[in-house]
Amino acid sequence: MKKTYEIAVIPGDGTGPEVVAEGLKILESVATLYDFACHITSYDIGGEHYLASGETISDELLESLKTKDAIFLGAIGHPDVKPGILEKGILLKTRFALDQYINLRPVKLYEGVYTPIKDKLPEHIDFVVVRENTEGLYAGAGGFLKRGTADEVAIQESINTRSGVERCIRYAFEFCKTRNQSHKLTLCGKTNVLTYAFDLWERTFYEVAEEYPDIEADYAHVDALCMWLIKNPEWFDVIVTDNMFGDIITDLGAMIQGGMGIAAGANINPAGVSMFEPIGGSAPKYTGQQKINPIAAILAVQLMLDTIGEKKAALSVEAGVAQVLKNDIQDVAAGQMGYSTREIGDRVIDYIKKQDRR
Ligand code: IPM
Ligand code: MN
């Protein structure tokens, strides 16, 4: 019997549904070629749903997501909803409720893609950021005192637990082992100023590192790392960091790999249900115009296939994407591709079908 995966799909807002449609097209075609099946359940949540119902994501829906094999998310974000409501109410809530404690973001420059960094080639830009995804400044700890007065106090605390930090660091070492690279893991922190949080991170990092003698354990302060990601991206193989620094350096990473149109991320619970997304946002002004690049969503599908164990299908999707980027897409930016969203999806499928599968 064929293996059937239960996939939850959240197309979401703006251009989310358009790019999700292309991702699903690719998923269906590799399922046929690699002999597995996907049963899709679509969920109507996002800004539109919130404006109509006042609800972000219900507990029932979260429970239902927990029964799936994976979640594919398009984009959440609506111009008429105050910032913070959907981010916290949907995206962060799901990450936390499903304990997706790893945010994995590959940063890879594909052939044919323009990087704003002069003289850097695909062999120079190929690293992965492992971002802690459930703690740090994102935990929501803190509060106001005397809000709105001249004496107002606002406190936002970074929560770092030994177990939370350790499981993230262990994941990063294990992940680094699987990569065919320099086997170097860089801890990105700020041990010179954040002397509590990153003291814990640093101690844990070097303790765990002793179990991995074949991996070079390296450290960089976050500010210096920003500098080096531009000047010497080839120095990096895998980077592990906390939630906030990870958020920041992965946007930098998305730009040096060519732009948001091709940047994907995975929210992973290694023992549970993971969620895969293009990281670019809902781009409301392009809604329905077929101008957005679906490659980020297609690479999110690739990360999903890789995570659920369909490794061959994942490689096949990546190879199809690499060809479309090399041969067809003029510019990865919205409206500059030379093709519509749908046409890009079709081309990826054409390349996948032409691959040698012996
Ligand atoms: C990301 C996004 C989210 C984050 C926002 C939308 C809450 O920027 O996935 O990086 O900060 O984690
Ligand atoms: Mn971000």
Side-chain angles (χ1 to χ4, degrees):
M1 256 253 312
K2 263 194 208 181
K3 174 136 198 169
T4 299
Y5 296 97
E6 290 294 330
I7 310 290
V9 176
I10 303 172
D13 300 312
T15 53
E18 289 160 60
V19 297
V20 157
E22 299 314 306
L24 289 178
K25 237 162 68 179
I26 273 83
L27 184 62
E28 268 163 43
S29 64
V30 289
T32 310
L33 292 168
Y34 291 90
D35 208 30
F36 59 91
C38 291
H39 178 251
I40 308 288
T41 311
S42 203
Y43 294 85
D44 177 23
I45 56 174
E48 290 296 343
H49 177 76
Y50 172 75
L51 290 171
S53 67
E55 179 183 84
T56 48
I57 187 166
S58 67
D59 291 343
E60 292 91 294
L61 208 147
L62 279 173
E63 286 310 311
S64 151
L65 291 177
K66 286 182 188 167
T67 68
K68 305 293 175 191
D69 291 305
I71 306 164
F72 180 31
L73 174 85
I76 299 285
H78 197 289
D80 301 338
V81 181
K82 198 176 142 217
I85 294 181
L86 301 172
E87 291 85 342
K88 281 184 149 177
I90 298 178
L91 200 54
L92 299 184
K93 195 167 170 187
T94 307
R95 288 176 182 172
F96 294 173
L98 274 59
D99 203 20
Q100 294 163 341
Y101 64 85
I102 298 298
N103 192 313
L104 194 75
R105 301 236 169 129
V107 176
K108 182 165 175 175
L109 180 64
Y110 287 92
E111 230 183 294
V113 177
Y114 170 80
T115 175
I117 309 184
K118 188 164 168 271
D119 297 335
K120 295 296 175 190
L121 303 168
E123 68 244 44
H124 301 121
I125 302 177
D126 185 359
F127 61 90
V128 175
V129 178
V130 175
R131 161 185 172 191
E132 200 294 318
N133 211 29
T134 54
E135 302 192 342
L137 281 168
Y138 279 67
F144 292 110
L145 189 65
K146 303 183 187 175
R147 188 165 184 272
T149 73
D151 296 326
E152 177 162 354
V153 179
I155 294 179
Q156 192 99 40
E157 286 161 319
S158 176
I159 306 285
N160 299 264
T161 68
R162 169 72 197 211
S163 59
V165 168
E166 186 170 331
R167 66 182 181 171
C168 176
I169 286 173
R170 285 193 179 278
Y171 182 94
F173 274 105
E174 283 298 320
F175 183 81
C176 189
K177 222 163 73 175
T178 67
R179 273 169 62 84
N180 198 15
Q181 303 277 60
S182 54
H183 286 186
K184 176 174 169 185
L185 178 63
T186 304
L187 170 65
C188 163
K190 189 72 187 172
T191 53
N192 53 347
V193 176
L194 306 180
T195 50
Y196 309 124
F198 281 99
D199 184 75
L200 172 60
W201 274 85
E202 193 183 34
R203 271 183 287 124
T204 311
F205 181 69
Y206 285 109
E207 266 175 54
V208 176
E210 290 189 7
E211 296 171 36
Y212 295 89
D214 298 336
I215 294 176
E216 183 193 345
D218 172 47
Y219 173 82
H221 292 320
V222 62
D223 48 352
L225 185 120
C226 286
M227 198 170 77
W228 288 324
L229 280 185
I230 302 297
K231 194 169 167 285
N232 299 98
E234 66 279 5
W235 286 353
F236 299 98
D237 176 8
V238 179
I239 298 169
V240 64
T241 191
D242 84 342
N243 213 339
M244 187 78 256
F245 291 164
D247 179 49
I248 298 167
I249 66 170
T250 53
D251 269 25
L252 186 57
M255 283 304 118
I256 73 177
Q257 77 179 130
M260 283 296 179
I262 56 171
N267 301 275
I268 298 179
N269 175 343
V273 186
S274 303
M275 176 165 73
F276 304 86
E277 51 174 339
I279 70 175
S282 60
K285 70 173 179 187
Y286 291 115
T287 305
Q289 294 180 22
Q290 288 283 311
K291 283 189 176 165
I292 280 281
N293 197 331
I295 294 294
I298 296 170
L299 286 174
V301 166
Q302 179 241 324
L303 284 171
M304 176 162 100
L305 291 164
D306 192 67
T307 308
I308 63 179
E310 293 295 337
K311 304 278 178 194
K312 284 186 182 159
L315 285 172
S316 158
V317 171
E318 193 189 10
V321 164
Q323 274 180 299
V324 108
L325 289 170
K326 183 175 169 196
N327 305 332
D328 305 290
I329 295 184
Q330 289 166 11
D331 185 322
V332 303
Q336 314 286 308
M337 305 179 296
Y339 297 93
S340 69
T341 305
R342 196 174 295 122
E343 285 168 334
I344 302 282
D346 291 341
R347 284 189 170 246
V348 173
I349 292 181
D350 284 346
Y351 286 122
I352 289 174
K353 286 189 174 152
K354 282 191 207 135
Q355 287 160 4
D356 190 353
R357 245 172 299 278
R358 275 169 305 170

